[in-house]
Amino acid sequence: MRWGIIGLPQAGKTTLFQILTRSEPREVHRQSELRIGVVKIPDERFDRLVQLFDSPKITHATAEFVDLAAISKDSLKESSYLATLRTMDGLVHVTRLFQNAAVPNATDPPNPNRDIEDVEVELILSDLGVVENRLAKLEKDRKKIKSPEHEREQPLLEKAKQWLESGKPIREAAWTEQEKKQLKGFSFLSEKPLLAVLNVDEARAGGIREIIEAEEFAPWRNRTGMHLAAIAGTIEAELATLPDSDVPELMASYGLTELGSVRIVQAACELMGLISFFTLGDKECRAWLLPRGASALQAAGTIHSDIEKHFIRAEVVGWEEFLEAGGWGGRIHGALRVEGKEYRVQDGEIINVRHSG
Ligand SMILES: Nc1nc2c(ncn2[C@@H]2O[C@H](COP(=O)(O)OP(=O)(O)OP(=O)(O)O)[C@@H](O)[C@H]2O)c(=O)[nH]1
Ligand SMILES: [Mg+2]
């Protein structure tokens, strides 16, 4: 899962990147001009579960976040920038809601609504360009040769075109499963899940919830494939540099009840339609991500292709029951369910795959 952090100049993109990547294991490397950070996905359930074991290896699920160059009308026409954006699974759009006269471009009153709208329009226009080019090419090709594939693509693209022309992002349209598959090949930017993050002033750090719930941001709530979050960038960046033991005190002094990084990463998982499952043992405890609705067989495949191949059955138990039982011994047996390949894995379950070979 790779998220690109986008936004206008000086909105706080790099600040957010630093906030998110503080968590261990930390790995920031440069891939051409990209700063990529691997972020552990915080999960309180998993943290509690691992305490039942004396496991030398504890592995969290991870997500990648990429600190991208500032977005502008021009950068969105640059093919290399667009190509990079297309490789992302989701986009985090940081918008400035802080006032800071010392920051260039930040002298005007902040206007996140305008910024979110502007970037959304650019994504839509970029996709419209792709659709129009492809339609023009199809038109030419169809004159030469008729293929069933082309015949299927045409109506799909016409539908996308109409939708985009009405000013709406691809992610909000209703698509059939078949259409979704076809759309994938285009890597449309306005199809990607969008996490809009308002970067707010220090003084408002304690009122994050009120800000997100404010009437002025209502247009961005309850949209398909989009989520609105807020973060007090400077404070969270400061928290990110502190040893863990000092964090609660500083959080309290700012009226923060939870870390912004936790909220952002969890919202990203949710938006991507991912759930977690856990494998627990004395050798390793590990958290994994799985698309919501995926089967036990898919879960097995996530762990290892061999385990998928030799799948016999899955022993499944909810995390709360597992905690209650206190581990794999004794009492767990009443709670364990035996499930087959088709079983739909639920968020927070512990899975033990029985396999041959
Ligand atoms: N007061 C205040 N300043 C902030 C906040 N977040 C970021 N800044 C400041 O804004 C400036 C820009 O922050 P960056 O995180 O570098 O922004 P950016 O979007 O990466 O900037 P570019 O990559 O240059 O486009 C820095 O001087 C930050 O210290 C905030 O929440 N409050
Ligand atoms: Mg930056």
Side-chain angles (χ1 to χ4, degrees):
M1 172 167 68
R2 180 176 277 191
W3 289 81
I5 303 176
I6 61 171
L8 298 170
Q10 299 284 293
K13 298 178 294 297
T14 301
T15 304
L16 179 64
F17 179 82
Q18 282 160 352
I19 292 166
L20 293 173
T21 53
R22 112 187 218 283
S23 42
E24 293 276 308
R26 173 168 165 184
E27 189 187 313
V28 179
H29 53 267
R30 281 191 169 272
Q31 186 186 328
S32 60
E33 281 308 293
L34 302 181
R35 279 224 300 163
I36 302 172
V38 179
V39 178
K40 263 200 301 191
I41 293 169
D43 194 320
E44 216 175 272
R45 301 167 301 182
F46 183 58
D47 294 341
R48 287 171 66 189
L49 289 164
V50 298
Q51 283 172 18
L52 300 174
F53 294 85
D54 196 15
S55 177
K57 204 169 165 199
I58 294 168
T59 314
H60 283 78
T62 57
E64 287 181 355
F65 286 85
V66 185
D67 186 14
L68 294 165
I71 214 165
S72 66
K73 282 199 162 58
D74 293 333
S75 67
L76 277 162
K77 288 190 186 72
E78 263 172 45
S79 57
S80 67
Y81 188 83
L82 285 173
T84 305
L85 275 193
R86 290 196 200 290
T87 65
M88 301 296 153
D89 300 309
L91 303 175
V92 182
H93 179 191
V94 183
T95 59
R96 181 174 67 89
L97 188 49
F98 64 84
Q99 307 254 19
N100 185 347
V103 175
N105 299 316
T107 43
D108 314 334
N111 188 344
N113 272 330
R114 175 201 57 203
D115 296 346
I116 298 174
E117 182 72 43
D118 282 356
V119 169
E120 188 83 326
V121 167
E122 291 302 327
L123 300 181
I124 290 168
L125 287 176
S126 166
D127 287 347
L128 192 57
V130 172
V131 170
E132 282 169 346
N133 284 340
R134 182 65 197 157
L135 274 171
K137 184 161 186 309
L138 265 184
E139 192 59 31
K140 264 197 220 153
D141 290 352
R142 285 171 81 211
K143 280 189 189 131
K144 280 184 243 157
I145 186 165
K146 276 203 190 301
S147 82
E149 212 164 291
H150 288 167
E151 298 309 308
R152 270 200 305 272
E153 208 178 322
Q154 169 86 17
L156 175 86
L157 290 173
E158 290 292 353
K159 180 175 166 185
K161 181 166 179 253
Q162 254 186 13
W163 187 260
L164 291 164
E165 278 173 347
S166 73
K168 291 186 208 143
I170 299 267
R171 71 179 98 82
E172 284 180 12
W175 306 98
T176 64
E177 285 306 312
Q178 174 64 27
E179 285 174 330
K180 272 187 204 161
K181 259 188 220 156
Q182 281 178 280
L183 284 171
K184 259 208 178 111
F186 293 97
S187 305
F188 287 124
L189 300 179
S190 74
E191 188 191 9
K192 298 186 188 297
L194 180 71
L195 179 56
V197 178
L198 311 170
N199 188 10
V200 309
D201 271 317
E202 298 76 311
R204 296 167 77 187
I208 295 281
R209 193 167 302 254
E210 289 73 23
I211 292 170
I212 299 169
E213 285 167 7
E215 192 48 39
E216 61 179 308
F217 301 123
W220 308 111
R221 288 196 294 266
N222 304 320
R223 293 219 178 184
T224 310
M226 180 174 177
H227 183 83
L228 188 68
I231 198 167
T234 337
I235 292 173
E236 297 271 355
E238 190 185 343
L239 287 169
T241 62
L242 292 179
D244 285 350
S245 54
D246 295 350
V247 169
E249 197 186 321
L250 192 65
M251 277 176 71
S253 74
Y254 285 116
L256 288 172
T257 49
E258 53 183 348
L259 278 178
S261 53
V262 173
R263 274 184 294 116
I264 301 279
V265 177
Q266 285 175 344
C269 284
E270 174 90 28
L271 203 47
M272 203 67 90
L274 296 172
I275 59 167
S276 299
F277 74 92
F278 314 118
T279 51
L280 304 173
D282 288 326
K283 290 207 194 90
E284 186 181 9
C285 291
R286 185 156 178 175
W288 309 81
L289 295 174
L290 201 63
R292 190 177 292 283
S295 67
L297 190 64
Q298 279 171 278
T302 309
I303 300 169
H304 200 285
S305 55
D306 281 347
I307 298 184
E308 179 178 7
K309 215 159 106 195
H310 302 290
F311 184 101
I312 299 173
R313 60 178 185 271
E315 294 166 351
V316 182
V317 58
W319 67 275
E320 279 167 309
E321 290 164 288
F322 195 93
L323 276 180
E324 247 166 63
W328 285 116
R331 275 182 299 154
I332 195 70
H333 293 288
L336 270 189
R337 283 172 281 126
V338 175
E339 305 284 1
K341 291 180 179 174
E342 305 295 322
Y343 173 71
R344 281 167 74 109
V345 177
Q346 305 296 307
D347 188 31
E349 283 180 330
I350 289 100
I351 299 187
N352 184 30
V353 180
R354 294 282 175 189
H355 54 98
S356 60

